[in-house]
Amino acid sequence: MSFEIVEATITDIQAALDAGEITSKQLVLMYLERIADHDKNGLTINSVLEINPDALFIAESLDVERTLHGARGPMHGIPVLLKDNINTGDKMHTSAGSLALADSFALEDAFIVTKLREAGAIIMGKANMTEFANFMTNGMPSGYSSRGGQVLNPYNISTPTGGSSAGSAVAVACNFCTVSVGTETSGSILNPGNLGSVIGIKPTVGLLSRSGILPLSNTQDTAGPMARTVTDAVLMLNAMLGRDDSDAAMGSNYGRIHEDYTAFLDKDGLQGVRIGIPRDYYFEELTEEQLALFNASAQLMREMGATIVDPADIRTAREISYSSVVLNEFKTSLNAYLSRLGPGAPIRTLKQIIDYNHAHPIETLKYGQITLIEAEYTTSGTFTEPQYIRDRATDLKLCKEEGIDAVMKEHQLDALLFPADFGARITSRAGYPSIVVPSGYTGVGAPFGVTFSAKAYQEPQLIKMAYAFEQASKVRKPPSLRSFI
């Protein structure tokens, strides 16, 4: 077969499908062959946790539909991997990487999965992830789960994958799927996107439904697309949109959602915009190589017509510290999710997960479960703790009103530009959107990216800037999957 799967975009694939050069069934087989060769053998990247046993049947039926009626749209017949905390009401498990939930089946699809299926996407499988979105213990490496093992960074195994959407990012980077879905609470899309040299869109909390996704934080969680190009990520974003009245966070999006975000793919999207760089605090951990890559990216944006306000420091950045919000929200959010799995579910509470792990320590407690224990026994699950209430208010004050809102108003900014995923903590607590884009590689081959962030529902502006930067820089390259540095 002459079709080249490596780095193939959705547009490339649709053109080949329409021309009869390939079928969706053949496409799935090609991805499965790469998974067999490199994810489970060879380099053993370990990014794919489970394959949908019906994937080939679904692909074949979509091929027939294409022949008889044409394609539903850009996602028709496109293979997608989902992070393992996203429900599918089929023959696949949803475990958040936990052996305690390895036999857990959801009763129905998550809302965004329903939308993907309606768009014609093939849910090809589940991606490995950091167990319980890295909210299980201290010292667990990103990309590790007791059910799936350790995900490796295909660019250099001595560098981390980032988390918790490690498998979603790495599988896309390695061309084990066309696109994937990750989730983020505080950097879980941006971090692995940065370290995996892929595009990650972390939307405004409220843009996409969270129904049917195993939760971490009721106030910060969101799903988002991961892809090799901004265009593919935006096409995925389009496919997941939809009104879900069961998700209270979506009440803020009235009149603020666009039907088609591809309208904002503008190669001149940096012309005339004002971008602020928060130098203070956010640059302390950069190496000289990383700083050089970031500065070169900012200079390219200047050359493309952007006004770079440097510095545009966030005055509250150094006041932002530990917050008890996620710890307090985790138990209630998780227990509510588990209660909806149905009467046959083997595990129904966080306490049962902890007890299961205690009963199987060799298999499940390689790094312990101190965070799970803390969430179970030090929080009431009623959100009445004074510290939780104060921390939630403080997060909004320091990250939102006196943080991002204030600096953007002061300098009349359209966006903020952060190195790597360094702004994830402040943007996530504000519930604001971000897009990470590859910007280069260090001398040891480790990817490095930049993140565009803005205020709520300003995805159109971020897409314009991210796309323009991507088209001008064109730095992304696939990992060789043959040898490591």
Side-chain angles (χ1 to χ4, degrees):
M1 190 177 300
S2 61
F3 183 75
E4 178 54 66
I5 193 174
V6 176
E7 300 297 279
T9 67
I10 291 174
T11 301
D12 295 334
I13 292 170
Q14 290 297 346
L17 289 168
D18 288 340
E21 297 174 14
I22 192 173
T23 66
S24 288
K25 182 179 180 180
Q26 290 170 330
L27 183 65
V28 170
L29 286 169
M30 292 171 75
Y31 282 128
L32 292 178
E33 185 176 358
R34 286 182 63 81
I35 291 168
D37 288 345
H38 303 293
D39 197 64
K40 302 309 175 191
N41 284 301
L43 297 180
T44 59
I45 298 298
N46 214 29
S47 64
V48 181
L49 187 59
E50 188 167 1
I51 294 297
N52 185 353
D54 290 331
L56 289 173
F57 292 128
I58 295 168
E60 192 168 18
S61 69
L62 287 165
D63 286 332
V64 172
E65 181 180 334
R66 181 186 295 270
T67 299
L68 295 176
H69 306 293
R72 302 182 192 181
M75 291 301 297
H76 188 112
I78 300 297
V80 176
L81 286 178
L82 306 175
K83 189 175 179 180
D84 185 44
N85 59 351
I86 301 173
N87 284 357
T88 53
D90 51 21
K91 297 170 185 173
M92 291 190 291
H93 308 82
T94 304
S95 71
S98 170
L99 277 175
L101 298 178
D103 294 324
S104 181
F105 290 92
L107 292 177
E108 58 186 12
D109 285 341
F111 184 92
I112 59 171
V113 177
T114 297
K115 300 304 293 184
L116 285 169
R117 292 194 202 272
E118 289 173 356
I122 301 165
I123 308 303
M124 191 173 70
K126 299 286 183 82
N128 199 359
M129 60 179 284
T130 317
E131 189 164 346
F132 286 118
N134 214 3
F135 204 72
M136 181 174 178
T137 189
N138 297 323
M140 179 186 289
S142 59
Y144 174 82
S145 70
S146 61
R147 183 176 174 223
Q150 181 65 55
V151 183
L152 299 180
N153 190 319
Y155 289 94
N156 186 326
I157 58 171
S158 67
T159 60
T161 60
S164 61
S165 305
S168 297
V170 168
V172 166
C174 294
N175 291 272
F176 296 154
C177 59
T178 310
V179 282
S180 69
V181 184
T183 67
E184 173 155 332
T185 303
S186 182
S188 289
I189 289 174
L190 302 179
N191 181 231
N194 170 64
L195 293 170
S197 196
V198 297
I199 308 297
I201 299 180
K202 184 268 179 185
T204 303
V205 174
L207 183 70
L208 295 180
S209 167
R210 288 99 53 83
S211 297
I213 299 176
L214 192 148
L216 178 51
S217 165
N218 185 62
T219 57
Q220 294 179 204
D221 288 353
T222 183
M226 309 195 79
R228 291 180 292 273
T229 69
V230 174
T231 300
D232 282 3
V234 171
L235 289 171
M236 270 282 285
L237 181 68
N238 279 347
M240 292 188 285
L241 294 170
R243 186 75 195 170
D244 177 13
D245 292 330
S246 68
D247 184 352
M250 300 195 79
S252 65
N253 70 25
Y254 280 107
R256 306 169 85 179
I257 293 182
H258 297 266
E259 184 177 341
D260 182 8
Y261 284 87
T262 63
F264 305 105
L265 295 169
D266 181 1
K267 65 181 178 60
D268 297 318
L270 283 163
Q271 183 69 43
V273 301
R274 291 177 61 82
I275 300 174
I277 297 179
R279 290 272 174 181
D280 182 43
Y281 175 75
Y282 294 98
F283 284 71
E284 293 178 350
E285 298 179 14
L286 290 180
T287 66
E288 289 186 8
E289 275 188 297
Q290 291 171 335
L291 181 59
L293 287 170
F294 179 85
N295 288 338
S297 297
Q299 179 57 33
L300 176 59
M301 294 176 203
R302 287 190 184 93
E303 294 169 3
M304 297 180 68
T307 297
I308 304 296
V309 181
D310 186 7
D313 291 330
I314 300 172
R315 301 186 188 281
T316 58
R318 292 183 181 272
E319 299 178 51
I320 299 166
S321 58
Y322 170 79
S323 171
S324 67
V325 167
V326 177
L327 180 69
N328 277 274
E329 292 180 346
F330 177 62
K331 177 169 71 174
T332 297
S333 299
L334 179 63
N335 286 347
Y337 166 88
L338 293 171
S339 73
R340 292 190 288 269
L341 290 180
I347 299 288
R348 304 295 296 277
T349 66
L350 172 58
K351 185 179 184 304
Q352 288 178 327
I353 291 170
I354 293 170
D355 291 345
Y356 178 94
N357 292 340
H358 277 314
H360 305 85
I362 295 176
E363 298 90 346
T364 67
L365 297 180
K366 182 176 182 179
Y367 299 100
Q369 58 175 344
I370 186 63
T371 307
L372 296 185
I373 292 171
E374 187 179 4
E376 174 63 28
Y377 293 106
T378 67
T379 65
S380 69
T382 62
F383 310 123
T384 57
E385 284 87 350
Q387 190 62 49
Y388 167 77
I389 296 170
R390 294 190 191 102
D391 284 351
R392 179 64 180 139
T394 298
D395 284 350
L396 293 174
K397 175 185 175 183
L398 297 181
C399 299
K400 196 172 182 179
E401 289 92 354
E402 296 181 5
I404 295 172
D405 292 1
V407 71
M408 292 189 72
K409 181 179 180 181
E410 178 185 358
H411 297 289
Q412 298 180 307
L413 301 175
D414 297 295
L416 294 170
L417 184 71
F418 294 97
D421 64 313
F422 286 10
R425 182 169 68 168
I426 189 169
T427 56
S428 64
R429 294 187 192 184
Y432 284 173
S434 298
I435 302 180
V436 64
V437 185
S439 66
Y441 303 84
T442 67
V444 295
F448 183 79
V450 294
T451 298
F452 298 87
S453 300
K455 295 169 66 175
Y457 299 105
Q458 292 185 347
E459 281 85 356
Q461 188 74 280
L462 296 180
I463 289 168
K464 286 182 180 181
M465 289 183 269
Y467 180 75
F469 175 72
E470 173 200 49
Q471 294 302 299
S473 58
K474 291 191 179 294
V475 297
R476 184 193 139 72
K477 59 185 179 182
S480 69
L481 297 183
R482 292 189 179 89
S483 63
F484 292 111
I485 296 173

